[in-house]
């Protein structure tokens, strides 16, 4: 009877889906994967290459850095605005590199490995410029207040491109360490395809980590938009963990052990809070034989147990439709990052043929991955509203993402400059679909009751970010492999 009910539930869940593209009873994860990377191209700042696939975008920010006689052209806009913030940009690259490393075969099979590498390099090239001087890192380009008071295409922006940096007198250990983590992880990505570039990334990562550790301090300059509430210890451990994976140097292993915070029980992973990522990353190394990291397994498992339905220590609620819900404001960022860690942890358990114990409740690796899959499927359309929260995926998706470039007619269609107030009057407050489809963007998502209003002014629901998409890449690559092999539900 139990098996029959389980089978019936699977059928019901399949019929429940109506918003996404479905292949043989599953979502088309390959299409979703391709689109998730494509979104990052829409976020590019600087001189766009001939290979640029998002054709409605144009060159922007070509004088960034000139105020201080430095070259800061390039990098990514974090969300729907035109500011370049160092902390979320670095986290985007770290998580994208992690997914590319651990799911490289899957990305290659899907034909997306080069696109993933290109997306990473667009960020790392910028970080090399931003951190070209020892003990100094440029961490932000653009006046956030002025930028948020304007609604302009990035190609038109005329708000101040103010520059912000950290140095020994104005430290910012969180940003320096996160950038070090991004460069270290990326150095592994390019180790065999571009050894010289990989070596440069690793050298700069080590230099930035040393800078972050020697001149400790929290940087408040990105507040109120990116305030580091968790402090910098997690970023230092995160960077040391990636540097250890990249170098296997005892220096970084010892640093982790000497500075660890084993009391750091957390139930979320995001641009500000890295402990869960550290715990899963080091548990992976422990399972590979690095016995010095054994203590991190229990912490990683506590994180996973805090998410799983049926776990006695579950602490993260879900919406009635089953979506993890941490807090208002781009809640989907917590969903995609959690799904990535769940996917990775299920891999570790599977490799060792082990189960997960949450109190007296046991979970198989397939249970862990099954919940990750439910989260992704919800985002792609298996939800109470039958809407895909990935723009351009399926037939029913958000038409009004809170995004300046997408919501204003393309510069290629209307080369005449559209000024700040004109953008607000003629485009921001216009209740109609964006003229440019922001393909692949995962928007902020529904509220805790599964309610969603497709209205551009609802920024918490409609604004996409690079760090929502970056962890998604690895999960989608794994799901593509799984459904390619099995073509069936869990």
């Amino acid at each position: 009877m139990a098996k029959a009910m389980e089978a019936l539930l699977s059928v019901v869940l399949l019929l429940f889906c109506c918003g996404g593209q479905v292949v043989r009873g599953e979502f088309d994860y390959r299409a979703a994967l391709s689109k998730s990377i494509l979104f990052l191209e829409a976020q590019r700042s600087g001189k766009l290459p001939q290979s640029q696939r998002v054709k409605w975008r144009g060159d922007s920010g070509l004088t960034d850095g000139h105020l201080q006689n430095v070259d800061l052209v390039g990098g990514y806009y974090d969300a729907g605005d035109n500011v370049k913030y160092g902390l979320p940009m670095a986290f985007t690259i770290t998580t994208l590199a992690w997914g590319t490393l651990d799911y490289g075969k899957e990305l290659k099979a899907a034909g997306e490995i080069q696109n993933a590498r290109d997306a990473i390099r667009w960020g790392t090239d910028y970080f090399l410029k931003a951190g070209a001087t020892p003990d100094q890192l440029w961490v932000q380009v653009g006046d956030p207040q002025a930028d948020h008071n304007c609604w302009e295409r990035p190609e038109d922006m005329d708000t101040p491109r103010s520059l912000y940096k950290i140095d020994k007198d104005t430290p910012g250990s969180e940003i320096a360490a996160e950038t070090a983590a991004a460069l270290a992880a990326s150095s592994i990505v390019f180790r065999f395809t571009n050894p010289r570039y990989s070596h440069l990334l690793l050298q700069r990562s080590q230099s930035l980590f040393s800078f972050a550790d020697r001149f400790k301090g929290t940087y408040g300059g990105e507040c109120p938009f990116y305030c580091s509430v968790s402090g910098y210890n997690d970023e230092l451990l995160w960077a040391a963990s990636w540097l250890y994976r990249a170098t296997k140097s005892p220096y970084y292993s010892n640093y982790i052990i000497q500075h660890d915070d084993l009391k750091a029980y957390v139930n979320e992973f995001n641009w500000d809070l890295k402990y869960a990522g550290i715990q899963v990353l080091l548990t992976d190394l422990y399972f590979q034989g690095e016995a010095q990291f054994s203590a991190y397994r229990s912490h990683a498992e506590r994180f996973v147990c805090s998410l799983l339905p049926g776990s006695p220590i579950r602490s993260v609620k879900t919406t009635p439709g089953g979506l993890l819900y941490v807090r208002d404001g781009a809640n989907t960022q917590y969903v995609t990052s959690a799904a990535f860690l769940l996917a990775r942890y299920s891999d570790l358990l599977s490799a060792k043929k082990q189960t997960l114990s949450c109190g007296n409740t046991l979970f198989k690796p397939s249970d862990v991955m099954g919940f990750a899959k439910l989260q992704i499927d919800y985002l792609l359309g298996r939800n109470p509203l039958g809407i895909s929260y990935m723009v351009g995926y399926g037939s029913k998706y958000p038409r009004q993402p809170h995004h300046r470039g997408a919501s204003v007619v393309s510069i290629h269609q209307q080369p005449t400059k559209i000024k700040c107030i004109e953008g607000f009057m003629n485009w921001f407050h216009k209740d109609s679909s964006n003229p440019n489809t922001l393909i692949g963007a995962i928007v902020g998502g529904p509220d805790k009751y599964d309610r969603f209003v497709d209205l551009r002014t609802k920024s918490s629901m409609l604004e996409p970010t690079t760090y929502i998409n970056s962890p998604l890449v690895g999960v989608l690559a794994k799901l593509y492999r799984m459904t390619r092999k099995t073509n069936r539900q869990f």
Side-chain angles (χ1 to χ4, degrees):
M1 178 64 72
K3 289 185 177 180
M5 289 297 293
E6 184 178 352
L8 178 61
L9 179 60
S10 296
V11 172
V12 171
L13 286 173
L14 281 171
L15 293 174
F16 187 41
C17 169
C18 59
Q21 296 166 261
V22 182
V23 175
R24 294 189 182 93
E26 286 286 2
F27 286 99
D28 187 346
Y29 297 114
R30 183 177 183 177
L33 170 62
S34 178
K35 293 173 190 292
S36 69
I37 299 174
L38 189 63
F39 163 68
L40 296 176
E41 291 192 19
Q43 297 303 107
R44 285 173 169 174
S45 179
K47 179 71 176 177
L48 301 181
Q50 290 185 347
S51 60
Q52 173 79 10
R53 295 176 295 166
V54 181
K55 299 300 183 183
W56 51 265
R57 279 295 322 281
D59 300 338
S60 62
L62 298 182
T63 62
D64 283 357
H66 286 194
L67 291 174
Q68 293 289 339
N69 296 314
V70 294
D71 178 6
L72 294 177
V73 177
Y76 287 102
Y77 303 118
D78 70 304
D81 53 17
N82 298 322
V83 180
K84 296 190 295 198
Y85 295 99
L87 184 56
M89 192 192 307
F91 179 72
T92 295
I93 300 303
T94 309
T95 47
L96 182 59
W98 191 359
T100 303
L101 283 171
D102 290 359
Y103 296 110
K105 291 181 180 179
E106 291 80 359
L107 284 165
K108 185 176 181 180
E112 293 296 330
I113 187 66
Q114 190 56 50
N115 288 327
R117 289 174 184 153
D118 290 346
I120 293 167
R121 182 152 187 173
W122 196 265
T124 54
D125 281 352
Y126 175 79
F127 294 141
L128 291 176
K129 296 178 181 181
T133 304
D135 295 343
Q136 178 179 289
L137 178 67
W138 296 97
V139 297
Q140 183 177 317
V141 180
D143 181 325
Q145 296 294 345
D147 182 86
H148 282 75
N149 287 331
C150 270
W151 197 261
E152 292 179 314
R153 302 176 297 200
E155 297 84 2
D156 285 340
M157 60 183 173
D158 52 13
T159 52
R161 300 304 284 170
S162 306
L163 305 175
Y164 303 80
K165 69 178 179 179
I166 56 175
D167 53 29
K168 63 181 181 180
D169 298 317
T170 309
S173 296
E174 300 95 334
I175 309 180
E178 182 61 63
T179 307
L183 293 174
S186 301
S187 76
I188 312 174
V189 171
F190 295 107
R191 178 169 290 168
F192 299 109
T193 59
N194 194 335
R196 181 176 296 181
Y197 186 68
S198 171
H199 182 66
L200 176 60
L201 296 179
L202 186 57
Q203 279 188 320
R204 197 62 57 82
S205 172
Q206 291 171 314
S207 175
L208 278 170
F209 176 77
S210 176
F211 165 52
D213 188 46
R214 284 184 294 117
F215 302 105
K216 291 187 177 72
T218 292
Y219 179 70
E222 292 191 331
C223 274
F225 302 101
Y226 289 102
C227 304
S228 181
V229 177
S230 69
Y232 52 73
N233 189 60
D234 56 327
E235 277 84 10
L236 288 170
L237 288 171
W238 178 235
S241 299
W242 276 110
L243 278 163
Y244 180 73
R245 179 168 172 175
T247 66
K248 296 297 181 181
S249 168
Y251 173 80
Y252 298 110
S253 176
N254 291 335
Y255 185 96
I256 295 165
I257 293 169
Q258 292 168 8
H259 295 83
D260 64 12
D261 189 353
L262 290 176
K263 295 180 181 178
Y265 290 112
V266 295
N267 58 14
E268 62 183 89
F269 175 50
N270 56 58
W271 59 264
D272 181 40
L273 189 61
K274 316 294 164 51
Y275 287 116
I278 297 165
Q279 291 155 8
V280 172
L281 183 63
L282 294 181
T283 300
D284 187 358
L285 295 175
Y286 165 65
F287 280 162
Q288 293 179 38
E290 303 275 1
Q292 69 271 32
F293 300 129
S294 61
Y296 287 92
R297 178 179 181 178
S298 63
H299 286 69
E301 295 197 339
R302 187 180 179 97
F303 167 76
V304 174
C305 291
S306 73
L307 304 176
L308 294 177
S311 166
I313 60 171
R314 184 187 188 193
S315 59
V316 180
K317 296 181 179 180
T318 58
T319 66
L323 184 72
L324 287 168
Y325 201 87
V326 176
R327 61 179 61 89
D328 294 335
N331 177 67
T332 52
Q333 68 178 296
Y334 310 110
V335 177
T336 59
S337 59
F340 176 77
L341 294 187
L342 290 170
R344 286 300 300 130
Y345 207 78
S346 72
D347 292 339
L348 305 185
L349 293 175
S350 294
K352 292 295 181 179
K353 295 182 172 55
Q354 295 185 14
T355 57
L356 168 66
S357 177
C358 298
N360 296 323
T361 305
L362 294 179
F363 294 91
K364 296 178 293 184
S366 59
D367 297 326
V368 178
M369 187 59 210
F371 186 60
K373 182 177 184 295
L374 285 175
Q375 297 307 299
I376 302 305
D377 287 354
Y378 183 108
L379 295 180
L380 295 181
R382 190 165 289 142
N383 56 63
L385 297 180
I387 182 173
S388 165
Y389 291 103
M390 174 181 280
V391 177
Y393 183 88
S395 59
K396 186 179 179 182
Y397 55 83
R399 306 289 170 161
Q400 295 191 35
H402 181 94
H403 188 277
R404 286 160 176 76
S407 66
V408 179
V409 65
S410 168
I411 191 170
H412 304 301
Q413 292 181 283
Q414 185 174 325
T416 306
K417 183 180 178 64
I418 297 174
K419 295 183 180 181
C420 174
I421 302 302
E422 183 184 356
F424 272 119
M425 291 191 303
N426 295 341
W427 301 100
F428 178 71
H429 293 292
K430 189 176 182 179
D431 187 9
S432 63
S433 299
N434 287 353
N436 308 303
T437 304
L438 194 62
I439 294 175
I442 298 286
V443 298
D447 68 12
K448 60 185 176 181
Y449 302 109
D450 298 304
R451 297 176 303 198
F452 180 75
V453 180
D454 187 7
L455 197 61
R456 193 175 300 111
T457 54
K458 305 286 186 180
S459 60
S460 65
M461 291 183 172
L462 270 298
E463 189 165 18
T465 72
T466 58
Y467 47 87
I468 293 175
N469 274 54
S470 55
L472 183 66
V473 169
V475 191
L476 288 172
K478 179 178 179 179
L479 287 170
Y480 166 65
R481 178 196 69 193
M482 292 171 59
T483 54
R484 187 185 183 200
K485 284 183 176 181
T486 64
N487 290 321
R488 61 180 176 80
Q489 289 282 112
F490 277 88

